[in-house]
């Protein structure tokens, strides 16, 4: 089944890419890096190998992998430490949820995880699962499963060899604080795997990202030197209220405070251990008289030699910021007004198609 889907996607995608994905010729301009967010996640269930194959055919610069650990220490490519919102785990393994009601990936072996069906992201409503993005791939159709980091690396490296492209990887270590609580060192596991697959320094096309500043510093100053690695690191920036990291303060768990990262001196501190930042795109924008304009974050980051790769650019009508009339207008603003160095997008084909054109004298939407 997967081989048939992969073959079809590559034929279709390569045809599309040959039409739309000319490099920026004739203009002398360099467009932002295009990072396929969880693969071609607007078109197929996120982080499945099928979504990565389709993304590859769209010719982005990088493809993202979110990483969590299984019970038997395999790196699993999925967005959350929970299985609840993208798999049928509750049907296959009833009674395996923890007291908080969540099914944790780390409580299941790889053999068990391979028994699960993966679907488009959903939330549970009164009438059962409801698609998070209603106009995307239908829930529970076709057949998709979870994959390991090794399986995905072999897919991308294999396609790089067979097609002659050089598409990079952009792994994220998910919630290292949680894995430490469970007695696991996910950062060390990820770095060891990267080394085994030949990703050793900044000459390879790899960015390693994380929301955890202290873990990134540990990676930079402890783990990578011990393994002889020197990879490009990206500090992801969240809103404090999201709870991307929990810390213990006076015996209680609290959300880690991310505000310092964009305050005075924050980017200077980040530049001591990272090569770039990955902010939520609204963090780069201010609204004046109803119109978006760049604030000073990108400029300040560039003064510190930090790349800026904001997330997540989505073309779905309900996800498009109200200040923009089209996805192309949104992309144009990011590339030529914000002047970011890369973008995470669920629609890598549309981003490649627009941003790989010679820069227009006037915005073409």
């Amino acid at each position: 089944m997967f081989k048939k889907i992969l073959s079809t996607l590559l034929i279709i995608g390569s045809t599309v890419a040959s039409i739309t994905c000319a490099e920026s010729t004739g203009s002398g301009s360099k467009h932002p890096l295009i990072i396929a967010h969880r693969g071609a996640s607007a078109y197929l269930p996120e982080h499945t190998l099928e979504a990565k194959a389709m993304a590859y055919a769209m010719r982005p610069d990088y493809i993202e992998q979110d990483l969590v650990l299984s019970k038997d220490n395999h790196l699993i490519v999925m967005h959350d430490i929970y299985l609840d919102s993208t798999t049928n785990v509750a049907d296959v393994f009833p009674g395996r949820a923890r007291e908080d009601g969540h099914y944790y990936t780390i409580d299941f072996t790889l053999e068990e995880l391979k028994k699960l069906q993966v679907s488009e992201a959903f939330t549970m409503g009164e009438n059962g699962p409801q698609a998070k993005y209603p106009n995307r791939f239908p829930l529970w159709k076709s057949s998709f499963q979870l994959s390991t980091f090794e399986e995905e690396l072999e897919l991308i490296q294999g396609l790089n060899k067979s097609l002659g492209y050089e598409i990079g990887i952009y792994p994220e270590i998910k919630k290292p604080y949680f894995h430490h609580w469970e007695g696991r060192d996910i950062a060390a596991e990820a770095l060891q795997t990267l080394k085994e697959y030949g990703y050793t320094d900044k000459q390879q096309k790899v960015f390693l990202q994380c929301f955890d500043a202290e873990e990134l510093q540990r990676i930079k100053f402890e783990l990578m030197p011990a393994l002889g690695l020197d990879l490009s690191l990206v500090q992801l920036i969240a809103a404090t209220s999201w709870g991307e990291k929990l810390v213990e303060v006076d015996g209680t768990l609290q959300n880690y405070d991310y505000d310092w990262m964009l305050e005075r001196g924050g980017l200077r501190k980040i530049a001591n251990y990272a090569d770039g930042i990955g902010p939520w795109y609204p963090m780069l924008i201010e609204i004046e008289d109803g119109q978006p304009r760049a604030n000073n974050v990108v400029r300040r980051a560039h003064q510190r030699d930090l790349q800026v790769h904001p997330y997540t650019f989505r073309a779905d009508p309900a996800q498009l910021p109200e200040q923009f009339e089209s996805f192309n207008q949104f992309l144009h603003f990011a590339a030529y007004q914000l002047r970011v160095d890369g973008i995470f997008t669920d629609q890598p084909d549309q981003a490649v198609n627009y941003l790989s054109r010679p820069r227009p004298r006037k915005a073409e939407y």
Side-chain angles (χ1 to χ4, degrees), residues 28-43:
S29 64
K30 181 176 180 293
H31 65 69
L33 297 173
I34 296 166
I35 305 145
H37 181 245
R38 310 180 198 173
S41 54
Y43 310 113

Side-chain angles (χ1 to χ4, degrees), residues 42-104:
Y43 310 113
L44 287 167
E46 65 183 39
H47 281 318
T48 57
L49 287 180
E50 291 86 345
K52 302 307 174 70
M54 189 174 202
Y56 190 100
M58 293 172 174
R59 297 287 301 276
D61 297 286
Y62 291 83
I63 299 174
E64 183 191 37
Q65 304 80 29
D66 292 320
L67 304 177
V68 302
L69 279 174
S70 69
K71 185 176 183 178
D72 47 354
N73 235 38
H74 289 277
L75 288 162
I76 307 299
V77 182
M78 59 180 302
H79 177 250
D80 209 339
I81 57 174
Y82 312 132
L83 294 158
D84 313 9
S85 62
T86 56
T87 77
N88 61 341
V89 63
D91 296 328
V92 179
F93 295 105
R96 293 279 293 274
R98 294 192 182 186
E99 291 183 0
D100 60 5
H102 289 299
Y103 294 82
Y104 287 76

Side-chain angles (χ1 to χ4, degrees), residues 281-335:
Y281 71 80
M283 296 173 177
L284 309 179
I285 300 172
E286 58 187 28
I287 306 299
E288 186 174 290
D289 298 326
Q291 297 299 314
R293 52 179 263 179
N295 59 23
N296 64 359
V297 172
V298 175
R299 177 182 59 80
R300 291 194 294 116
H302 286 167
Q303 288 174 343
R304 300 293 178 188
D305 293 325
L306 289 168
Q307 294 192 46
V308 182
H309 300 169
Y311 60 88
T312 304
F313 289 71
R314 296 184 171 101
D316 311 63
Q319 302 299 316
L320 190 67
E322 62 180 8
Q323 294 85 12
F324 302 99
E325 296 180 359
S326 69
F327 189 52
N328 282 352
Q329 187 182 33
F330 189 23
L331 294 171
H332 190 94
F333 176 81

Side-chain angles (χ1 to χ4, degrees), residues 150-169:
E150 290 89 344
E151 287 172 330
E152 183 160 328
L153 291 178
E154 290 174 9
L155 174 67
I156 293 171
Q157 290 187 347
L159 290 172
N160 278 342
K161 180 177 180 180
S162 61
L163 291 171
Y165 305 153
E166 190 182 358
I167 291 177
I169 62 169

Side-chain angles (χ1 to χ4, degrees), residues 212-226:
D212 192 319
E214 287 67 37
E215 193 73 358
L216 273 180
Q217 292 171 66
R218 177 172 172 259
I219 290 169
K220 173 70 173 180
F221 300 116
E222 179 184 334
L223 297 182
M224 288 203 304

